[in-house]
Every structure is written in C-alpha cells, then in structure tokens.
Amino acid sequence: MKKIVPVIVLALLFAIALFNDSALELSPTWSWVVTILLGLAMVVVLILSMTGKMIERRIVFLFVGISLVLPFFMNFTMPLNVSPVVQTLYDALNKLPKGSKVLASFDYDPPSAPELQPMADAFVKWAFRNDIKVIIVGLWPQGPLQANLSVEAAMADPEIAAKNPKYGVDYVNLGFQTGNEFVIQGMGTSFRAKFPTDLYNTPYDSIPLMRGVENFSNIDFVMNLSSGYPGTVEWVQIAVDRFGVPVGAGNTAVQAPQVYPYVESGQLTGLLGGMSGAAEFEKATGEAGQANTFLLSQSFAHLVVVGFILIGNVALFIGQNRRRAPLV
Amino acid sequence: MQFDIGIWIAALLTLGIISFLYKDNVIYKVSEAIFVGVSAGFWFISLFWDNIYRKFWVGVFPDPTSGKEPQYILFGGVLLGVLMLSRLFGNKAGWISRWPLAFIVGATAGLKMITFLASNAVAQINATVGNFVAAVAAPTFAGLVTASTVTIGTFCGLVYFFFSKEHKGWFGGLAQVGTWVLMITFGASFGYTVMSRMSLLLGRIDFLLSDWLHLIK
Amino acid sequence: MKREIPLIITFVAGCVFVIQYFIPHWPFNEFEQVFTDWFSIVQAFAIWLGALSLLKFSMLKIQRRQKDWYMSVIIIVGFAVMVAYGAYDGFVGMNANPAYSFRDPGTHFDWLYQNIYTPLTSTMFALLAFFVASASYRAFRARNFQATLLLIAGILVMIGRVPVGDLITQFLPESYRAANLADWIMNPLNATGQRAIMIGIALGTVSTSLRIILGIERSHLEG
C-alpha cells in the first residue's frame, strides 16, 4: 500500500501535466471552506499535542505544502501597507528628474528570482514610465540576463511599448564583469575600463547613453538587487562610503535584516526586503506584479509556522503543569 | 497533449529532491548526485570563460583592432593559479599552494580592513552618536525614544561581546540588556529567514503548477 | 624560505590594497589593477581545485567500488556534460557572427542551466522551508526570558510582514497593529542588534587583517 500511493499520485500528476489545459480556481465560498478546514486541522494538531502526542514531522511538511499550494487557487485579496523603508526608496526614486541616469546592478541568479524578480520588474517598468535612463550591470553572471527578463516584461506593457524605449538611448545592458567588489572600485574611476563593451559587444563609446558617463559622479542613483556576495554590502562600502553615490537596495529576506544598520545610518537610501518588500514596492509604484499574487500563499505559510510554534509551546506548558500538579 | 522535455526534466528533478521529505531514497540520491556534478561543471566552465579567457587570454592576446597592448604581467596570475593546483598531489607537492593562498588572503585582508573600518565601524558609530545628538538637539518624544533605544541598545550589545571583563555587577547588567537586544535581533532574522525560504518554495510550486501542470495561469 | 615567501606575498598584497584606498594614483592604481586581475585568475583556479578534487575522489570511489559508487558515476557524467556543452557553446559563440556568449539564451549550456541546475539549486534551498517549520514545532520553546523575547520578535515579524497580520490586528490602534510593530522591531530594534554585531565584526576584521598582513597570524599558511 505504501509503495502504491506514490505511484498513483505520480501517475495522476503526469496525466494532468500531459493533458490538462484549463486553470483551476476556487470560488470565494470554497476558498473560505478550505481555509476553515485548514484551521480545524491545526486545532486537531493542538489537541493531539496537548495530550502529549507530538505529530510526526511529515505531517508538518504536509501542512506547509498545503498552506502554500492551496492559496494559488483561492480568490482572496488583502490590503497591504507600504513600510517606511520601502517608502523611503520610492520617494528617493520619485525625486529624480526625467532623464536621470540610474545604474541598476542585478546581483542575483534564478534561484533568488522569486523574491527579487518582482522588484526588478516593478523598478524597470517604473523607470520606463517615468523617462528614467537605466544602465544595467551585473556582478553575478546571470544578473544581466535576469535584467533582460525585466525589460521584456516592461515592453509587454502597452503604455510602455507606446513610449518605445530604445536600447542604447533609454537603457543599456553592460553585462557581467568578474571581480566582485573590485569592479565597483574600478567603476569609481572609470566605467569604460571595467565595461569596455556592452552585453552585445558594442563598444562603450558607441553607446549614446554612455556618452559623458565616466564614473559614479555622472550617475544620479544606484539601484542594487542582491542575494548575497557581492551585493548590497559591497555597494554601500565602496560606492556610497568611498564615492558618495546614493544607493537603494532590494535584498532577499535572508540578507535584509543584516543591512538595516545601513538604512538606519542613512548609508542606504531605502530597502526592499524579500517578497513582502517586493509587494509593497509594486503597490508604491502602482505596478501590479507577481509578488502581490504570492503574498497570499506567504500569509498562509507564515500563519501555519506561527501556529506550530504556538502549539509546541502550549504543549510544553501543559506538560510542565501536569508534572507540577500535586498527586491527589 | 503538451510535452516540453526541458520543463519535464526540471519538474522531475524538483519532485526528486522533494521526495526526500518522505524519506531518503534512490531518486533523491540520484537527483542530488546530478546537482553536485552539474554545479561543479557550471562553476568550472563559467570561471574558465569569465576569468581565465576574458581576463587572461584577452589581456595577453588582445584583438589587434582594439589598439590595446598585451599585458604579459597577467602570466603572474596564471602562475599563481597553477601553483594552487599542486594541492591535488598531496602534502609533498602541496606546500607551494601556500603562495597563491597567501596572495588571496593578503589581498582580501588589505581591502576588507579599510572598507570594514570605514563603513561598518566608523560610519555606524558616527550614526549611533550623531542621531542621538540630533534627537536631543531637536527633541520629539518619538525621536528621543528611538535614538535612545538605538544608542543604549548598540552600547549594551557591544558590552555583551566584551569578554575581557567578567559580566558581573553593573557591567553584567549592561551585558544582560545587550543579550535582550540580540535576542530580538535573532528573532527578527528568524522571521525573515522563514519568509525567504517560503518564497523560494513558492517559486518552485509556481513552476510546477503553472509551467508543468498548467493548473494556474 | 618556505614560510618567508608566503609572508612577503601576504604583506605586499595587503599593503597595495590598503595604500591604494588612500592614494588611488600612479603607481598604486596600476598595482591595484594588476592584483585585481591576478585575484580573478587565482579565484578561478581555486574553484577548479575544488571541482578537480571532487572528480579525483569520485574516481577513487568508483575504482574501489565503495558504497554508492554509482552516484560518483552520475557526478562525473553531470560534470562532463556541463563542461563539454559550456566549452562547445563558448568556442562556437566566439567565432560566430555576431558573436554570442556561452550562457546566452538559446545555447545548450543555457538549456542545461535553466532546466537542470536552476531547478535543483532552487529546490535544495526551498526544502529548508519544510525543515524550518518542523524544527520550530519541535524545538522552538519559550523556556526562559531570552527565548521568549526571540519567539515574540520572530512571531511579530512573521505576522507583521504579511497582509494577514493587519487583518488579524485591525481592532487595535494603528500604532499597535502587526505591520507597525514589525516595522518597529526591524528598525530600530533589529538594526540596533545588527549594528552591535557589525561593529564587533568590523573591529575583529581590522585586527585580524592587520595581524595577517604583518605576518603575526599564520594559520592560513598551515597544511
């Protein structure tokens, strides 16, 4: 029996993958029913834990999986507030006059895309909509290619397509350069020395947007999207503290808490932290995107994790009280 | 019937890794072995083209039309790099790999020393004291509370990490406050770590449900 | 000389990067440029060392028919396929007109990267989501005041960072709702603790770097 169940589940999945053509969506009523059932299941876990029967870890895994999968089919919307650090970044970008040059450093790869790609998409769309020039670079090899995905997503917007942003004039992709923080250091002296050609091997001097751009002093703002090293910390240490260029950042949620001191000290002009930061930035810029869609699943998952933490602690306290209770 | 071989391979490998949640099995071990081999190959060839070819080869043998002079000094880097590979031959020959290691460690130490001092020490201390002074100069209740929290919290946190004096009496009290601040910090980091891991998992689930199973648009 | 030469190399490399920070002019900028390029090249060989060591141990495992030796075959095959296609796409792309990179969309290498490497890497990291939930249920206990602080901060941040937090706490005054509490925990409380850690690490880095450059610290030269 144990061996047959996975085989049946796999066969079902293969059949759906091969033959399914239609999306599945739960009505609001069914969405509530499913939510209540999930809540009741957590109550059952609470009762079992209170009686001393800790549930097996595979059941915990199942709860996490269900809490992430089901919201994809649900029809709930929740209000979202923009946090101060996100608002700071948005306000700084909004102050840039039309025609300003923003250096966008894409320092991440596809595994970090669920958190950072929505930020990138919202930023590029906002830039094109507001006539901000974007110079794309990458300290990670895949970064410039992720940037191209954001540009493609922006061009799919009819309003932006009507504006017809031109490559080389309104935006340019200088590609990836190896060297980590040494690249940032070198850019402080000369962009041309570090990026002699763009991603498509066009010489630096042949790119209209790069005429007159020698180093950071010709850049109005740096927008960094980072998931590790090299990333935001290096941009702050070198671009901000050595060359004085303002930098705003989007980070994965693992890295975000560690860069808050830079936000508090003013070295970093705003911060987008993880999926919620991406969703808040989408709201601030008015660019509907994937982060807001994912946030429902994120909410359910967080509730499940918090629920399990509280259940575990309730079980602990009840167990302690039982041991302390005098024998009658 | 829809069948994109790339998406199917990605989906099967994803399910193979996830199967570990049920129990360790052969499919997981195979997926893991593929991961290890492919990762090593990816970094091997990426660094060849990005670092060895683009830095060394193009530097030493530049395009004649570019007008650049050959930089023969880059042979020094390759020499150090080749010495690094001596570690493959055990301890007898491996001692020479200390030279490139010394170079890497020295360069990193030199760069990090100054940048960490400037950005992570001086600038942070400046902000801690400066913001407090600014809050006292133009006092508002919220501003004073925030600035005091930051200043006292940072100081107490640093006291906690000072192990040259025993944490007793008033000093121990400050270290205790530092511990509380650090616990809140770690709790916040834990919360964000959960958020990050869930986001990564959401990315995979989105791929399976939309690209593979076509259950969502 | 086995010990002296590495110490001299460390000293010279360290000094160049320290001095060029303050004097970014000739000749220090030239030294910095050369050393930066050398650093990139040596970095590549360091990763190659790791990859070749992996191959060496995998081949030994196959040769000695140790437990799960067939997994080592898979490792070697995966490595070989990735390197072969990366090399092929690189050489072909270099000579194509217009030239393209080995990792550009449409190349074999990119196909392997998008359909094998990325799903595997992402899923490996994503597995941690399940384990963090399970570990939280089994081990995250408020046994003392510090642990309780950690727990409360973690819960408030998790709830406050998603919209459901404000939904649950909408009956409270605005300043006490989950999102605002989470914001206050992140900045200034978390920022405070992180700053203390950051300053501590920075001071430790400065002292260790100085010891390394001056040759007092030699642990990196052992073994």
Side-chain angles (χ1 to χ4, degrees), chain A residues 48-97:
Chain A
L48 284 171
S49 302
M50 280 164 62
T51 57
K53 299 186 185 91
M54 299 299 277
I55 59 163
E56 207 205 323
R57 70 180 196 161
R58 286 184 283 197
I59 305 292
V60 178
F61 297 160
L62 195 60
F63 268 91
V64 172
I66 290 171
S67 70
L68 284 166
V69 168
L70 285 179
F72 275 98
F73 308 114
M74 289 184 187
N75 221 335
F76 281 148
T77 48
M78 291 192 218
L80 180 69
N81 288 326
V82 179
S83 58
V85 287
V86 174
Q87 192 65 46
T88 303
L89 175 56
Y90 177 68
D91 291 342
L93 287 171
N94 243 3
K95 283 198 184 102
L96 296 170

Side-chain angles (χ1 to χ4, degrees), chain B residues 134-214:
Chain B
V136 166
T140 61
F141 179 70
L144 274 172
V145 167
T146 305
S148 308
T149 307
V150 171
T151 310
I152 295 168
T154 306
F155 180 70
C156 291
L158 285 168
V159 165
Y160 172 77
F161 286 120
F162 190 76
F163 298 118
S164 302
K165 183 174 163 56
E166 213 175 339
H167 289 183
K168 270 185 170 175
W170 63 270
F171 195 79
L174 289 177
Q176 184 74 272
V177 173
T179 313
W180 298 342
V181 171
L182 290 169
M183 286 301 118
I184 295 172
T185 303
F186 297 143
S189 292
F190 169 78
Y192 263 68
T193 302
V194 168
M195 180 160 76
S196 186
R197 299 302 168 207
M198 294 297 172
S199 301
L200 291 181
L201 187 52
L202 274 172
R204 299 318 302 152
I205 291 171
D206 180 54
F207 162 74
L208 289 173
L209 291 178
S210 63
D211 292 336
W212 188 47
L213 296 172
H214 312 287

Side-chain angles (χ1 to χ4, degrees), chain A residues 20 24 181 241 262 267, chain B residues 2 22 112 119-120 124 215:
Chain A
N20 177 51
L24 180 66
E181 61 262 60
D241 288 338
Y262 294 133
Q267 288 164 288
Chain B
Q2 40 224 345
Y22 184 66
K112 296 290 183 197
S119 302
N120 288 20
Q124 296 301 316
L215 285 172

Side-chain angles (χ1 to χ4, degrees), chain A residues 5-251:
Chain A
V5 168
V7 172
I8 293 173
V9 168
L10 268 176
L12 195 61
L13 286 174
F14 287 179
I16 296 171
L18 283 169
F19 301 111
N20 177 51
D21 217 358
S22 48
L24 180 66
E25 197 177 318
L26 294 172
S27 66
T29 311
W30 274 108
S31 301
W32 274 111
V33 166
V34 163
T35 308
I36 290 166
L37 283 173
L38 192 59
L40 287 173
M42 293 288 287
V43 170
V44 168
V45 171
L46 171 66
I47 294 167
L48 284 171
S49 302
M50 280 164 62
T51 57
K53 299 186 185 91
M54 299 299 277
I55 59 163
E56 207 205 323
R57 70 180 196 161
R58 286 184 283 197
I59 305 292
V60 178
F61 297 160
L62 195 60
F63 268 91
V64 172
I66 290 171
S67 70
L68 284 166
V69 168
L70 285 179
F72 275 98
F73 308 114
M74 289 184 187
N75 221 335
F76 281 148
T77 48
M78 291 192 218
L80 180 69
N81 288 326
V82 179
S83 58
V85 287
V86 174
Q87 192 65 46
T88 303
L89 175 56
Y90 177 68
D91 291 342
L93 287 171
N94 243 3
K95 283 198 184 102
L96 296 170
K98 286 192 193 308
S100 296
K101 293 190 173 89
V102 173
L103 181 77
S105 182
F106 285 69
D107 303 334
Y108 65 97
D109 55 2
S112 304
E115 291 180 275
L116 296 175
Q117 199 64 34
M119 296 177 195
D121 291 351
F123 167 73
V124 172
K125 282 181 190 167
W126 172 87
F128 286 170
R129 228 185 271 285
N130 291 277
D131 301 320
I132 301 291
K133 312 290 184 192
V134 182
I135 301 168
I136 295 163
V137 298
L139 301 182
W140 288 44
Q142 292 297 327
L145 301 178
Q146 295 300 124
N148 280 349
L149 294 176
S150 292
V151 171
E152 271 172 41
M155 296 301 197
D157 185 303
E159 200 185 309
I160 292 173
K163 285 187 142 202
N164 194 20
K166 281 200 171 52
Y167 184 85
V169 175
D170 298 301
Y171 70 101
V172 69
N173 193 333
L174 296 179
F176 158 70
Q177 184 58 248
T178 184
N180 303 332
E181 61 262 60
F182 298 112
V183 176
I184 307 172
Q185 193 147 289
M187 287 166 77
T189 313
S190 167
F191 275 31
R192 188 185 287 100
K194 284 295 160 191
F195 296 94
T197 64
D198 74 351
L199 186 65
Y200 310 104
N201 288 320
T202 310
Y204 187 94
D205 292 321
S206 303
I207 304 168
L209 181 56
M210 301 314 293
R211 281 183 205 137
V213 178
E214 291 301 320
N215 50 44
F216 284 126
S217 58
N218 307 115
I219 295 293
D220 300 295
F221 196 84
V222 174
M223 179 71 187
N224 170 240
L225 297 167
S226 142
S227 67
Y229 171 81
T232 301
V233 173
E234 286 67 39
W235 277 100
V236 168
Q237 286 178 344
I238 298 172
V240 175
D241 288 338
R242 200 168 168 198
F243 298 108
V245 65
V247 172
N251 282 180

Side-chain angles (χ1 to χ4, degrees), chain A residues 78-80 295-296 298-300 302-303, chain C residues 158-170 178:
Chain A
M78 291 192 218
L80 180 69
L295 218 52
L296 184 62
Q298 192 93 45
S299 301
F300 271 68
H302 283 204
L303 280 175
Chain C
M158 274 193 279
I159 294 296
R161 279 274 75 96
V162 288
V164 79
D166 270 355
L167 212 63
I168 293 171
T169 55
Q170 60 188 318

Side-chain angles (χ1 to χ4, degrees), chain A residues 265-277:
Chain A
S265 65
Q267 288 164 288
L268 207 52
T269 311
L271 175 69
L272 313 176
M275 182 80 74
S276 62

